[in-house]
Amino acid sequence: MNASVDPVITLEHVSRRYGAKVALGDVTLSIPRGGVLGLVGANGAGKTTLIKHILGLLRAQEGRVRIFGFNPVTEQVAVLQRLGYVSEDRDLPPWITVGELLRYIRSFYPAWDPDYAERLRQQLQLVATARIRTLSKGELAKAALLVALAHRPELLVLDEPSSGLDPLVRRELLEAVVRAVAEEGRTVLFSSHLLDEVARVSDRVAMLTAGRLVLHGELDAIMESHRRIVVRLKQSEPAPPRLPGTISLTGGPEEWTVICDGNVDPFIRGLRQDGGEVLEDTDATFEEIFHAYAATPTRT
Ligand code: ATP
């Protein structure tokens, strides 16, 4: 296996249902090594379910999951040796100190580098003798990150790392620490509701809507290809405009706002020939793109 070329995470047609509810529906996704992937989606879109499949906490009911080429359910040790994880609730034992926690975790990792762990503790400004139960929310988030990072995982998975944190700590954690991890050639996957944060930190994004992967790719390419266009149709036009790659369409009956992904130039030429007008034509913001896909589970 060629480690530098093979994807770190591969999901092929992965589905998971809870009764009639589709938590993940036919998700196919391949994440290359290195960089930060921002996983976005509304509440209940399937982000945590997807993360649980990556960690081997859930077995795919259909489809196939591979992490570093390993099956995370049957080869969980091989996967967990290479992976650091911070859950949304950051469950750490409350009675032990930061230093004791590091010593405990060290026992699981033969290649543990104590100098690196110590540097990281200092960088995160955590006091070794402080007990977990005495830490503030921000410090607790840092301690969870310290635990996840100290064994130098090749893949760092963070489920909602910023929830409940103030903007200063968020910047410190995500922009400083997470970017640094990615710059060392390692891979970070983090889920978040904070779209500005995702847009600032991510190299790639993946978006789930009702369990479906509706968008995935390099952030720059996504931002470049999506446009927000406001058109006014000629008065007698009976139907909404049919722009190629329309993701969402609002307004009407004469003035429409369209978020689209595709070459719309031929459409615009035709519209003008028919007496219609383009009132606005701008790049869509990440937030507009997100809301367009969140409103429409499948593309038109
Ligand atoms: P949030 O942003 O609110 O954390 P999410 O995108 O992480 O949401 P998931 O937690 O993955 O979403 O849930 C996806 C869907 O699956 C939701 O509708 C949820 O109610 C459902 N679900 C998740 N776990 C279970 C379970 N154990 N039993 C039944 N339904 C579940």
Side-chain angles (χ1 to χ4, degrees), residues 7-12 14-16 18 24 27-32 37-40 46-62 64-86 153-159 187-191 206 208 213 216:
V8 171
I9 299 173
T10 313
L11 276 80
E12 289 168 9
V14 172
S15 294
R16 147 85 37 181
Y18 292 105
L24 284 181
V27 172
T28 294
L29 179 66
S30 173
I31 315 282
L37 174 89
L39 178 62
V40 293
K47 302 180 296 296
T48 301
T49 305
L50 189 142
I51 287 174
K52 284 182 176 169
H53 281 83
I54 291 171
L55 299 172
L57 297 175
L58 283 177
R59 183 190 294 270
Q61 286 170 334
E62 282 167 38
R64 183 172 182 266
V65 181
R66 289 292 178 272
I67 311 298
F68 305 105
F70 297 107
N71 179 332
V73 175
T74 57
E75 297 167 295
Q76 199 174 33
V77 173
V79 172
L80 295 184
Q81 282 288 329
R82 295 166 171 81
L83 184 148
Y85 169 56
V86 179
E154 290 169 62
L155 171 63
L156 177 65
V157 178
L158 309 167
D159 196 359
T187 313
V188 182
L189 182 155
F190 82 106
S191 74
L208 291 166
L213 186 72
H216 171 230

Side-chain angles (χ1 to χ4, degrees), residues 12-294:
E12 289 168 9
H13 303 290
V14 172
S15 294
R16 147 85 37 181
R17 283 177 204 82
Y18 292 105
K21 173 104 215 166
V22 177
L24 284 181
D26 197 23
V27 172
T28 294
L29 179 66
S30 173
I31 315 282
R33 186 173 297 261
V36 179
L37 174 89
L39 178 62
V40 293
N43 284 124
K47 302 180 296 296
T48 301
T49 305
L50 189 142
I51 287 174
K52 284 182 176 169
H53 281 83
I54 291 171
L55 299 172
L57 297 175
L58 283 177
R59 183 190 294 270
Q61 286 170 334
E62 282 167 38
R64 183 172 182 266
V65 181
R66 289 292 178 272
I67 311 298
F68 305 105
F70 297 107
N71 179 332
V73 175
T74 57
E75 297 167 295
Q76 199 174 33
V77 173
V79 172
L80 295 184
Q81 282 288 329
R82 295 166 171 81
L83 184 148
Y85 169 56
V86 179
S87 72
E88 199 176 354
D89 46 17
R90 306 175 186 121
D91 36 4
L92 299 174
W95 61 89
I96 70 174
T97 67
V98 170
E100 286 164 353
L101 189 58
L102 282 179
R103 282 195 290 282
Y104 172 69
I105 290 157
R106 175 181 182 160
S107 59
F108 296 100
Y109 299 99
W112 183 267
D113 174 352
D115 294 340
Y116 175 74
E118 181 54 21
R119 267 203 314 281
L120 207 55
R121 182 189 68 73
Q122 287 175 11
Q123 189 193 348
L124 291 167
Q125 297 175 317
L126 287 166
V127 177
T129 53
R131 287 198 190 279
I132 296 297
R133 72 173 134 73
T134 67
L135 302 183
S136 72
K137 256 191 204 169
E139 288 164 343
L140 197 59
K142 288 179 184 181
L145 195 61
L146 173 64
V147 165
L149 269 178
H151 65 96
R152 285 187 190 274
E154 290 169 62
L155 171 63
L156 177 65
V157 178
L158 309 167
D159 196 359
E160 289 284 344
S162 303
S163 68
L165 302 182
D166 68 49
L168 211 73
V169 178
R170 279 193 341 234
R171 268 181 194 254
E172 220 180 320
L173 286 189
L174 277 175
E175 289 171 37
V177 180
V178 168
R179 283 292 342 158
V181 170
E183 270 144 34
E184 287 169 19
R186 294 186 271 158
T187 313
V188 182
L189 182 155
F190 82 106
S191 74
S192 179
H193 287 287
L194 301 168
L195 300 178
D196 58 332
E197 183 173 277
V198 173
R200 231 178 13 245
V201 178
S202 307
D203 301 298
R204 306 175 72 84
V205 289
M207 178 171 172
L208 291 166
T209 298
R212 305 266 165 191
L213 186 72
V214 290
L215 180 68
H216 171 230
E218 287 187 14
L219 181 62
D220 288 349
I222 289 170
M223 299 308 294
E224 213 161 281
S225 69
H226 285 75
R227 283 158 78 180
R228 175 182 182 276
I229 298 176
V230 183
V231 294
R232 182 179 291 142
L233 307 179
K234 65 177 180 188
Q235 296 222 323
S236 57
E237 198 72 54
R242 297 170 62 84
L243 272 80
T246 294
I247 317 297
S248 78
L249 191 61
T250 48
E254 285 164 29
E255 203 174 299
W256 295 87
T257 300
V258 189
I259 304 293
C260 55
D261 175 19
N263 179 10
V264 291
D265 297 343
F267 169 85
I268 288 176
R269 276 199 297 276
L271 175 87
R272 287 187 173 130
Q273 276 162 13
D274 290 347
E277 262 183 283
V278 177
L279 303 177
E280 285 174 46
D281 180 357
T282 55
D283 292 336
T285 64
F286 186 58
E287 194 160 337
E288 285 166 342
I289 297 170
F290 175 89
H291 289 300
Y293 281 100

